[in-house]
């Protein structure tokens, strides 16, 4: 049995792809999945409820192993079909906030503040405006012409990590699951 958890926004497509690959290539390993916030995921790894947790902002703690899986970019995009200058601020965490404030030192009050990227993106698609989103997620919308990248806007690094305990890494099934996860992440 392998127990894996992840932040909501990492389940589709990354962890969903991992789940499909695991079930087809490792059918002898049962899989339990969890969706939670980073603090809860870290706690569950620490106490042994989860073997692996995938998240954007892990804390370095004794006894835990943190490995970067992939590097995403947050890019500023705007609607091509709705005429709105509204800025939708997505809370991508404290690192994004610090980089954002350094890049935009003028008091930039968002018209809308959201805590979930897909909600902010769907709002912009429906009502217009602009905001920062993961490049991998907006790529099809850029290709279809629904969105465009705001020229000369800074882009921000947004890596995703896998966290495990040192004892879980020693397990054969955990190592197999990690190898599949690394393979899937390398395609992004």
């Amino acid at each position: 049995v392998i127990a894996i958890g992840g932040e909501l926004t990492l389940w589709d497509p990354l962890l969903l792809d991992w789940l499909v690959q695991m079930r087809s290539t490792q059918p002898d390993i049962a899989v339990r999945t969890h969706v939670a916030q980073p603090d809860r995921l870290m706690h569950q790894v620490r106490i042994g409820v989860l073997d692996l947790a995938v998240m954007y902002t892990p804390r370095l703690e004794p006894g835990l192993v943190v490995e970067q899986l992939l590097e995403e970019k947050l890019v500023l995009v705007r609607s091509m079909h709705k005429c709105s200058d509204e800025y939708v601020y997505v809370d991508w965490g404290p690192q994004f906030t610090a980089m954002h404030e350094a890049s935009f030192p003028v008091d930039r009050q968002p018209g809308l503040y959201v805590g979930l990227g897909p909600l902010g993106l769907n709002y912009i698609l429906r009502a217009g405006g602009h905001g920062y989103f993961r490049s991998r997620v907006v790529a099809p919308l850029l290709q279809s012409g629904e969105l465009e990248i705001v020229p000369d806007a800074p882009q921000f690094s947004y890596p995703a990590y896998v966290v495990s305990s040192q004892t879980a890494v020693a397990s054969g099934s955990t190592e197999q699951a990690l190898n599949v996860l690394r393979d899937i992440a390398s395609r992004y």
Side-chain angles (χ1 to χ4, degrees):
V1 175
I2 187 84
I4 187 169
E7 290 185 47
L8 178 63
T9 56
L10 284 164
W11 273 101
D12 190 14
L14 177 68
L15 288 172
L16 180 58
D17 289 346
W18 172 85
L19 186 58
V20 169
Q21 182 85 10
M22 275 297 290
R23 298 306 304 142
S24 67
T25 63
Q26 308 292 328
D28 55 323
I29 299 176
V31 178
R32 288 186 328 202
T33 63
H34 300 264
V35 177
Q37 296 293 322
D39 287 342
R40 178 118 174 103
L41 292 169
M42 293 291 295
H43 175 72
Q44 290 177 326
V45 170
R46 191 172 41 257
I47 65 172
V49 171
L50 292 178
D51 299 300
L52 302 171
V54 181
M55 65 187 76
Y56 288 111
T57 54
R59 290 185 319 273
L60 298 176
E61 296 182 14
L64 298 183
V65 178
V66 177
E67 175 185 332
Q68 183 174 327
L69 276 180
L70 57 93
E71 175 95 18
E72 293 198 82
K73 294 283 184 203
L74 295 173
V75 295
L76 185 61
V77 297
R78 64 181 166 214
S79 172
M80 293 293 293
H81 303 297
K82 306 286 183 181
C83 294
S84 171
D85 198 30
E86 183 172 26
Y87 181 61
V88 177
Y89 182 91
V90 178
D91 181 3
W92 294 108
Q95 292 173 333
F96 171 75
T97 299
M99 292 183 296
H100 188 273
E101 288 175 0
S103 296
F104 301 104
V106 176
D107 186 25
R108 184 184 183 116
Q109 292 295 322
L112 178 61
Y113 182 98
V114 297
L116 184 64
L119 174 61
L121 183 57
N122 285 326
Y123 178 85
I124 286 174
L125 291 171
R126 186 174 293 179
H130 59 287
Y132 274 93
F133 299 95
R134 293 176 291 151
S135 58
R136 172 178 55 84
V137 171
V138 297
L141 299 165
L142 294 168
Q143 289 177 350
S144 71
E146 292 179 76
L147 296 175
E148 72 173 349
I149 291 183
V150 175
D152 301 321
Q155 297 183 0
F156 304 111
S157 175
Y158 198 59
Y161 300 88
V162 61
V163 179
S164 59
S165 70
Q166 290 175 337
T167 55
V169 172
S171 159
S173 58
T174 301
E175 187 59 36
Q176 289 174 312
L178 266 171
N179 287 335
V180 172
L181 188 56
R182 289 175 186 125
D183 179 55
I184 295 294
S186 72
R187 300 177 201 171
Y188 287 97

